[in-house]
Amino acid sequence: MKYTEKKVSVPLCAVSTTPGLVNKTGSWKFAEPLFIDRVSPCNQQCPAGEDITGYMYLASQGRFEEAWKLITEENPFPAIMGRVCFHTCEEQCNRKDHDEAVCIHTVERFIGDYGLSHGLKIDVTEPEKDKKIAVVGAGPGGLSAAFHLRKRGYRVTTFDRHQKPGGLMWYGIPAYRLPKDILDAEINRLYEMGIEFKMGVTIGRDITWDALNTQFDAVFVALGAYEEAGLSIEGINKQGIFEALRFLREINLGKKPKYGKNMAVIGGGNSAIDCARVCRRLGAEATIVYRRTENEMPAHPEEIAMAREEGVEFLFLATPKEVHGQDGISGIKLEKMALGEVDDSGRRRPTPTGETFDIDCDGMILAIGEGTRVDDLPPSVSHKKGVVETDQMGQTTESSLFAGGDIIDIPHTVTHAIGSGKRAAIAIDRFLQGHKAEDIALDQFKWGDRGNISVGLMKGITLFMRRNPSLEVIDYKNMNPFYFDHRPQIKNHRIPAKVRLKGFQELITSPSEQEAVSEARRCFMCGSCTECGNCYIFCPDSAIRRDPVGYGYIPDMDYCKGCGICVNECPRGAMKLKFME
Amino acid sequence: MYSLNQRFDNRDIPEDELLTSGNVACAGCGASLSMRLALKGLGKPTVLAVPACCWTIIPGAWPMSIMDVPFFHCAFETTAATISGIKAAYRKRGMDDICVVGWAGDGGTFDIGIQALSGTAERNDDIIYVCYDNEAYMNTGIQRSGATPIGSWTTTTPVKKPKSEQKKDIDAIMIAHKIPYLATATAAYPHDMIAKLKKARSIKGTRFIHLLAACPTGWRMPENLSIKVMRLAVLSNIFPLYEVENGETYRQTVLPDEIIPIDEYMHLQGRFRHLTSEDIEDYQKMVDKRFEYLKERFEKGETSAAK
């Protein structure tokens, strides 16, 4: 049969003629999805206020130069940070609830080393200002403040009573944790930025505080904690007994103090661990004597573990009572301790038992804590028990004088000092422009309620796009971890303990580029849109579209029915469902 | 789309849209998302035929339509016969490259359309038949169908007397027809689903795709949970994702990292809320037994593929 076309006047069937777009189904909704960037817990935790999520994102794409620039917005020393920071960020990492925390410090270290090996420089892009600022103390706090002020175009002069800038990074941290060439190379960038250094100058003695105040428009003080606590027991003045910082300083200067072959290190902090590990490298036996137990030790657990690997012995629940020996030390009488009630620090208090015993040793290092000396500061600066009183931003009771580092009420770490220097630089900038240093308006630039201020957020332009940033911190249970696979953390390459003891060679070797990228890819980038596209893929109404001008996606409110699937399926919690009134 | 550190590479998902916004499905509809993703896999030229089901109304009431591909409304029981006819007509006119797809709900497949479907499969007509299974007659008001799982609430199987019959094993029925390709898929695994539809398009003969499509309205759950519930159905082995070639070679395409208890899937849905913990234990045994049956075949499929 042949098919013949037949002209008909009515359609064979009803045919649609109108696009479905006339159905503005968006009018049905009672909730709307919003793209908001939340704060990752690592960013909130970082005492220096680094944008960890941001540089992980850049590093995961191999964009190391941009990652380096993002870190140096907040922190002048990425290569130092990756080595000496105790990375409390990793304790907060949301990935620890998934498999293992991201090894943030290793990636940061790689980025820092990349900056050094590629000779990356800091550009002072702000116009030069005629205001002059004095920074007293060239430790991490002072250098950080000098860096951030110089970046803002101020003329900065840094004073320090030591010969080398770096403070305890130079005189306290042993070279196996932070090689001196890395430290010098990172500080050298500050010279290149045009910061003036006046070394070997003690303020209060060589230059008076009054003279400083008249010559400079503002002063930042970070004197550090160099005063060592002593022990008042019988025989404490015998030869062969050192204070920890003096011991470490001499080692770091390449001098050889007259140490023994069998050293006792008193204390449970990081300086005690450093001293014991230095002794091992000098060929001596080392025993750490601590009055509480390992659980209460303030030292970082990783450091304790590495000290054990290197053959450091531990003697817990003991405190020295008397030093034996003729001229030099030959042994210590120790008293056994027991753990009692929980004290203010949240740890159990050691209580004496009255029982004593002796150990033999021919050297002793006291690492029982460092104090500050702030009596020489101008009388208008109020302080209590060696801690200078400041507001949140670091302004003291003398309005043109700001303080940071170990002399203010923050934990005594390099990273906290760097963070305090940054805060004070922001405050000084505001002060010199006639604003109040501390202001509620600054809260919006913080990484969450507990976080530090971010220069990146203040500038509003960051290398890592953040849209509608909010102060909310994202936790694991508000994310959708199904979309992340399980992969173990990268392990740092440590040189074998036997090789370590031969000298002061750096004990962790840098990761390869591939390892750094692979570890950066483990980062969830919590709270930030990475344009993964889940919201777009899972929208039943095709109502999520790529932002035609900017970054990421936008919901088309004409058609979005507010089901909230996109919010549920966002892997990183960068969306929120807002119920309408 | 970057998917830097994600399990799936979302760059694999085509960005072409063969339908527009403005569908009139309920918020969070699993079926409307299934169509959108399926068309990403099928591409053009494709012709759809749809019987009475939710998708009759989802594109909009006449004269509106959100579809960018021909979309033919047919009678309830005739989907498979209609697409067989459309395909024959295209072949006769030398337009054999057009992919003809039947898109029916579970009622139109498991119950009302099964005769036509069986006939088409027996003739091995060159069509794709997609059943989006939301496990009841949702469009007409949540009446039980042959696809409703045992123990489930629907408006015709109230809580006092929930459904007492097993879900019909449509996949086994279709496998028994020895069709060249059968696959189960769900929109919660879009990469898997799109890959299966692409593969189906590349094969000749009758191809059957069984999609699980969550229905927040009928399953009695918040609409934002659609994807999560479909994902949990896969992770709990209630709806394993696999494909079968020529009725013989089975292959599991998505292997969950960890099998979750079915309770996690069921407690999110109001339609199972009346079940006691003993009921759920029995249910778990049933699901395990059913998966054992499939697992034997997956293992056999792997060994025959290795040869």
Side-chain angles (χ1 to χ4, degrees):
Chain A
M1 196 178 80
K2 209 178 160 207
Y3 176 73
T4 50
E5 209 169 296
K6 197 173 157 193
K7 291 240 190 269
V8 284
S9 55
V10 285
L12 284 168
C13 59
V15 176
S16 294
T17 50
T18 314
L21 286 173
V22 297
N23 296 324
K24 296 277 167 92
T25 50
S27 63
W28 304 3
K29 66 173 160 297
F30 52 86
E32 56 185 17
L34 299 175
F35 285 87
I36 59 157
D37 272 11
R38 291 189 170 93
V39 175
S40 59
C42 52
N43 279 19
Q44 171 169 258
Q45 180 63 29
C46 181
E50 291 180 12
D51 185 358
I52 296 170
T53 324
Y55 72 72
M56 284 287 169
Y57 176 77
L58 296 167
S60 65
Q61 297 177 339
R63 293 154 71 184
F64 297 117
E65 186 169 338
E66 289 163 81
W68 187 85
K69 291 217 162 113
L70 194 60
I71 300 178
T72 50
E73 285 284 356
E74 319 290 345
N75 187 330
F77 308 125
I80 297 175
M81 273 301 105
R83 287 173 167 82
V84 304
C85 179
F86 288 120
H87 43 79
T88 49
C89 47
E90 293 175 25
E91 287 159 25
Q92 302 295 322
C93 178
N94 278 333
R95 183 140 195 164
K96 74 177 187 305
D97 298 329
H98 191 69
D99 41 30
E100 286 178 275
V102 177
C103 200
I104 297 168
H105 70 286
T106 302
V107 179
E108 184 176 23
R109 178 190 166 123
F110 181 83
I111 296 168
D113 288 354
Y114 181 93
L116 290 177
S117 62
H118 287 72
L120 300 183
K121 299 267 179 278
I122 305 288
D123 306 318
V124 180
T125 45
E126 294 271 314
E128 291 288 329
K129 298 191 172 90
D130 55 0
K131 296 258 168 61
K132 295 198 297 183
I133 294 152
V135 171
V136 183
L143 292 177
S144 163
F147 170 86
H148 286 288
L149 287 164
R150 180 69 199 121
K151 265 186 106 173
R152 284 172 166 72
Y154 291 103
R155 287 158 64 194
V156 183
T157 311
T158 306
F159 301 91
D160 198 291
R161 64 193 171 94
H162 295 98
Q163 292 304 320
K164 285 241 175 215
L168 278 180
M169 296 194 292
W170 222 99
Y171 294 100
I173 299 175
Y176 63 85
R177 272 176 59 200
L178 176 60
K180 301 291 175 224
D181 54 335
I182 300 277
L183 177 60
D184 284 343
E186 295 248 297
I187 292 176
N188 199 33
R189 274 202 302 267
L190 269 56
Y191 281 91
E192 285 168 3
M193 284 169 72
I195 297 170
E196 203 182 327
F197 284 87
K198 291 210 168 144
M199 305 308 294
V201 178
T202 307
I203 304 299
R205 195 189 67 196
D206 303 329
I207 303 174
T208 62
W209 288 102
D210 285 342
L212 206 65
N213 238 342
T214 46
Q215 280 174 43
F216 293 92
D217 297 289
V219 180
F220 175 73
V221 186
L223 301 172
Y226 286 91
E227 299 297 314
E228 306 214 44
L231 270 180
S232 50
I233 57 171
E234 207 175 306
I236 197 71
N237 295 322
K238 290 195 197 323
Q239 278 176 26
I241 299 177
F242 300 90
E243 285 148 346
L245 285 180
R246 185 160 64 92
F247 180 76
L248 291 172
R249 179 162 63 239
E250 302 214 344
I251 297 292
N252 277 318
L253 286 170
K255 292 185 193 160
K256 284 226 156 185
K258 283 199 173 151
Y259 55 88
K261 283 275 142 213
N262 189 3
M263 304 286 286
V265 181
I266 315 295
N270 286 308
S271 331
I273 299 277
D274 281 346
C275 290
R277 295 175 70 190
V278 165
C279 289
R280 291 293 295 140
R281 281 167 174 74
L282 295 169
E285 298 295 323
T287 307
I288 287 181
V289 178
Y290 182 49
R291 57 198 177 123
R292 306 190 218 216
T293 70
E294 183 165 353
N295 291 335
E296 289 83 29
M297 276 178 87
H300 198 265
E302 235 173 86
E303 296 283 312
I304 299 172
M306 286 192 283
R308 274 225 170 80
E309 280 170 28
E310 291 161 15
V312 173
E313 302 283 333
F314 289 84
L315 191 58
F316 293 115
L317 291 170
T319 194
K321 275 305 194 200
E322 193 182 329
V323 179
H324 299 308
Q326 295 294 327
D327 296 332
I329 176 173
S330 68
I332 321 170
K333 182 197 259 183
L334 296 173
E335 179 173 7
K336 269 195 185 167
M337 307 296 274
L339 288 183
E341 295 294 300
V342 173
D343 67 7
D344 297 342
S345 70
R347 301 173 300 168
R348 291 179 67 190
R349 192 195 303 273
T351 50
T353 60
E355 210 178 314
T356 59
F357 63 104
D358 291 337
I359 59 164
D360 290 334
C361 63
D362 54 3
M364 179 163 88
I365 299 171
L366 299 174
I368 48 181
E370 301 88 39
T372 55
R373 217 174 101 104
V374 291
D375 305 336
D376 297 341
L377 285 175
S380 54
V381 177
S382 95
H383 51 83
K384 215 190 246 171
K385 288 184 185 167
V387 177
V388 174
E389 220 175 273
T390 66
D391 66 8
Q392 271 192 31
M393 298 298 290
Q395 191 172 30
T396 66
T397 43
E398 163 75 57
S399 64
S400 68
L401 197 139
F402 296 75
D406 289 352
I407 61 168
I408 66 167
D409 188 18
I410 52 169
H412 292 192
T413 74
V414 173
T415 324
H416 281 94
I418 285 177
S420 73
K422 176 171 82 174
R423 270 197 305 275
I426 293 167
I428 291 170
D429 185 34
R430 290 176 60 84
F431 168 73
L432 293 179
Q433 289 178 22
H435 302 297
K436 247 176 76 186
E438 192 184 42
D439 195 341
I440 198 151
L442 288 170
D443 283 353
Q444 58 177 311
F445 306 120
K446 281 182 179 171
W447 295 123
D449 289 337
R450 293 189 288 114
N452 202 342
I453 291 187
S454 159
V455 177
L457 286 180
M458 281 180 85
K459 279 187 176 173
I461 40 149
T462 64
L463 290 157
F464 179 55
M465 187 65 193
R466 288 188 188 281
R467 299 193 317 166
N468 314 324
S470 83
L471 284 176
E472 263 174 69
V473 178
I474 182 80
D475 54 11
Y476 185 68
K477 62 176 193 294
N478 287 321
M479 297 169 59
N480 194 335
F482 168 74
Y483 294 100
F484 303 110
D485 55 6
H486 292 266
R487 194 147 62 85
Q489 187 190 59
I490 187 186
K491 296 288 171 243
N492 278 330
H493 306 297
R494 293 182 197 160
I495 58 173
K498 272 188 182 170
V499 183
R500 284 184 222 166
L501 296 184
K502 286 185 181 147
F504 284 80
Q505 190 189 341
E506 187 171 19
L507 72 96
I508 295 171
T509 51
S510 292
S512 68
E513 177 172 333
Q514 201 193 348
E515 285 170 326
V517 169
S518 150
E519 189 61 18
R521 284 194 182 177
R522 286 186 72 241
C523 175
F524 287 166
M525 290 145 205
C526 309
S528 298
C529 175
T530 63
E531 295 189 306
C532 80
N534 267 12
C535 51
Y536 159 78
I537 290 168
F538 289 118
C539 180
D541 297 298
S542 331
I544 302 273
R545 305 193 210 290
R546 188 177 274 285
D547 191 333
V549 282
Y551 177 93
Y553 293 84
I554 41 170
D556 187 337
M557 290 303 181
D558 279 351
Y559 300 103
C560 167
K561 293 173 192 154
C563 68
I565 287 180
C566 47
V567 178
N568 250 30
E569 297 310 311
C570 176
R572 1 193 106 66
M575 293 186 78
K576 185 181 190 172
L577 199 63
K578 189 184 140 210
F579 286 88
M580 296 156 86
E581 281 154 22
Chain B
M1 288 189 278
Y2 287 120
S3 312
L4 266 171
N5 50 5
Q6 281 177 224
R7 187 191 283 263
F8 307 112
D9 193 344
N10 287 348
R11 286 171 296 189
D12 297 345
I13 308 278
E15 291 200 34
D16 300 335
E17 299 285 350
L18 298 188
L19 45 72
T20 66
S21 299
N23 75 56
V24 295
C26 309
C29 176
S32 62
L33 176 59
S34 297
M35 173 69 93
R36 183 173 160 242
L37 294 175
L39 287 176
K40 282 176 185 285
L42 287 168
K44 279 184 177 178
T46 294
V47 173
L48 291 164
V50 179
C53 62
C54 288
W55 256 100
T56 326
I57 56 140
I58 290 174
W62 186 84
M64 289 174 284
S65 175
I66 62 161
M67 304 304 293
D68 194 22
V69 291
F71 188 93
F72 186 83
H73 294 267
C74 62
F76 217 152
E77 69 281 20
T78 66
T79 322
T82 306
I83 51 179
S84 293
I86 294 174
K87 184 69 192 183
Y90 276 130
R91 193 164 52 239
K92 197 79 185 162
R93 296 178 68 177
M95 296 153 84
D96 207 14
D97 60 324
I98 293 172
C99 182
V100 182
V101 179
W103 182 275
D106 50 293
T109 307
F110 287 60
D111 304 340
I112 298 174
I114 196 165
Q115 177 276 328
L117 175 61
S118 179
T120 300
E122 186 254 330
R123 294 188 302 275
N124 198 21
D125 282 337
D126 188 19
I127 51 90
I128 298 179
Y129 190 103
V130 181
C131 168
Y132 68 97
D133 179 5
N134 46 30
E135 304 196 320
Y137 288 84
M138 295 308 181
N139 191 31
T140 47
I142 324 170
Q143 293 86 2
R144 61 87 88 186
S145 77
T148 305
I150 186 169
S152 172
W153 164 93
T154 63
T155 50
T156 48
T157 51
V159 169
K160 280 194 178 155
K161 201 177 175 306
K163 194 186 173 193
S164 55
E165 299 83 14
Q166 291 274 357
K167 176 169 178 150
K168 194 188 279 185
D169 193 346
I170 194 78
D171 302 321
I173 294 170
M174 295 314 293
I175 290 163
H177 284 75
K178 307 272 183 236
I179 52 172
Y181 188 70
L182 173 138
T184 62
T186 169
Y189 286 84
H191 299 76
D192 177 71
M193 177 170 161
I194 289 174
K196 281 171 174 163
L197 281 149
K198 277 188 178 155
K199 183 170 180 180
R201 187 173 180 132
S202 72
I203 293 172
K204 283 235 169 260
T206 301
R207 292 140 284 168
F208 183 82
I209 312 279
H210 183 188
L211 301 178
L212 183 71
C215 173
T217 313
W219 293 10
R220 290 294 187 246
M221 62 179 194
E223 49 266 38
N224 62 349
L225 292 183
S226 282
I227 302 291
K228 182 176 182 182
V229 158
M230 288 192 269
R231 178 166 65 238
L232 294 180
V234 175
L235 294 178
S236 61
N237 276 341
I238 281 187
F239 194 81
L241 298 181
Y242 62 97
E243 55 187 19
V244 183
E245 281 172 52
N246 304 316
E248 284 169 358
T249 321
Y250 288 63
R251 196 170 73 86
Q252 193 175 11
T253 53
V254 170
L255 283 147
D257 294 345
E258 194 186 348
I259 308 297
I260 60 157
I262 57 160
D263 190 27
E264 280 186 42
Y265 165 75
M266 298 179 104
H267 89 265
L268 293 176
Q269 304 172 43
R271 62 175 177 155
F272 294 121
R273 193 161 293 145
H274 53 278
L275 296 182
T276 62
S277 52
E278 289 86 50
D279 291 341
I280 291 178
E281 258 173 53
D282 290 346
Y283 219 110
Q284 180 76 56
K285 281 183 197 138
M286 200 176 72
V287 170
D288 291 346
K289 197 176 158 200
R290 160 83 184 144
F291 187 72
E292 276 304 311
Y293 167 87
L294 283 170
K295 204 176 155 194
E296 272 173 37
R297 281 151 184 82
F298 295 151
E299 280 161 5
K300 221 169 106 191
E302 269 167 37
T303 40
S304 67
K307 278 174 198 168

